[in-house]
Amino acid sequence: MAISPGRRPATCGGDSVLHHDHHRHDRGPGSGRRGRRRLAAIGSWKAARNANGAAQTLSRIEQQRLHADLTPHFRCTIVANEARSTAMLRVHLEGPPGLLSHGAIEITTSLRNDNPHRGDGPQLAGTPTPEEVRAHIWGLWQFSADGRDDTGRTVAPQQLAVGEWTRYGLTPTSPPLWSASNTDDWRRDYANEPVRLSITARSKGSEWIVPLEVPVTIEGAS
């Protein structure tokens, strides 16, 4: 059979191509609705996730604020005898009122060194190790109370309620064995320095570390 000019015989392949092109470009109204629903669902999920993240952030901020508001307030005094051979540290828990509902809280009192960078320098030949330097109490007083550790830096934990107080005995320290200073020089260097404390308080899963500097009063001094 003759083929007219300008016309091409139909083939199965051609019919198939035309058939697929028709379906690719004409998806119908149902397909568009499904796409919009899918986009809406994704948008809702993202909004919920963002809202949950914001709620967690606010909860974290509120917990941090509450924790800060409940930081214990301590009033401390140290009175030494005239010879400065003994002293008494008195720790009074003044508040805040929010801690009243906690009942007694646990406190652990420790002595801090005069300088937080003690032992940070490089060790030279024939000198003490950084650990030995940090372990020594760089200050005039150490704990003599029952329950103290081997160095006299820390005393055993105690229970203390708001409005109550406790006290700890103190005795003078000595210069480290490797120091060129004698005892008189050592005590003279620290004579007018405050005692640096760190009180760790714990209650109902919360912990606060309160640094303090307490001046020493001489008994009977005006």
Side-chain angles (χ1 to χ4, degrees), residues 2 33 67 69 121 124 131 142 155 167 172 174 187:
R33 283 195 296 271
H67 183 269
D69 288 346
L124 303 177
E131 291 76 19
Q142 63 187 351
V155 287
R167 61 184 181 180
S174 299
R187 294 183 180 180

Side-chain angles (χ1 to χ4, degrees), residues 3-77:
I3 300 175
S4 301
R7 295 183 62 190
R8 297 177 58 193
T11 64
C12 292
D15 284 347
S16 175
V17 170
L18 290 175
H19 176 75
H20 286 296
D21 286 345
H22 168 76
H23 283 284
R24 185 165 61 242
H25 294 291
D26 185 12
R27 298 183 183 276
S31 175
R33 283 195 296 271
R34 284 194 298 273
R36 286 193 294 273
R37 284 197 297 268
R38 190 160 53 246
L39 289 175
I42 293 173
S44 297
W45 174 79
K46 287 184 177 180
R49 183 186 62 179
N50 292 339
N52 185 53
Q56 289 179 346
T57 299
L58 288 174
S59 176
R60 219 167 24 244
I61 292 172
E62 178 62 17
Q63 289 173 357
Q64 291 170 352
R65 183 195 64 78
L66 180 60
H67 183 269
D69 288 346
L70 290 177
T71 300
H73 302 162
F74 295 102
R75 177 168 52 86
C76 300
T77 58

Side-chain angles (χ1 to χ4, degrees), residues 83-215:
R84 303 195 185 205
S85 58
T86 62
M88 187 66 67
L89 164 64
R90 179 165 168 156
V91 178
H92 186 272
L93 177 58
E94 293 189 316
L99 279 180
L100 287 168
S101 62
H102 286 230
I105 67 172
E106 180 188 277
I107 67 165
T108 303
T109 307
S110 299
L111 293 162
R112 294 185 291 146
N113 286 332
D114 60 352
N115 186 329
H117 303 295
R118 291 278 185 186
D120 287 355
Q123 182 184 1
L124 303 177
T127 62
T129 66
E131 291 76 19
E132 290 173 325
V133 174
R134 284 192 290 268
H136 190 79
I137 298 176
W138 296 88
L140 188 56
W141 300 97
Q142 63 187 351
F143 287 112
S144 59
D146 292 340
R148 67 188 183 277
D149 64 4
D150 293 339
T151 64
R153 182 183 293 278
T154 302
V155 287
Q158 280 191 265
Q159 298 293 316
L160 198 62
V162 173
E164 301 299 329
W165 58 271
T166 187
R167 61 184 181 180
Y168 308 98
L170 300 169
T171 54
T173 58
S174 299
L177 296 176
W178 62 84
S179 173
S181 298
N182 58 39
T183 300
D184 290 339
D185 291 339
W186 173 266
R187 294 183 180 180
R188 188 164 42 247
D189 288 343
Y190 286 109
N192 298 314
E193 295 296 319
V195 175
R196 289 163 55 86
L197 298 176
S198 177
I199 301 180
T200 301
R202 298 182 179 88
S203 178
K204 295 185 176 181
S206 295
E207 179 179 285
W208 302 267
I209 299 177
V210 183
L212 298 160
E213 292 195 353
V214 186

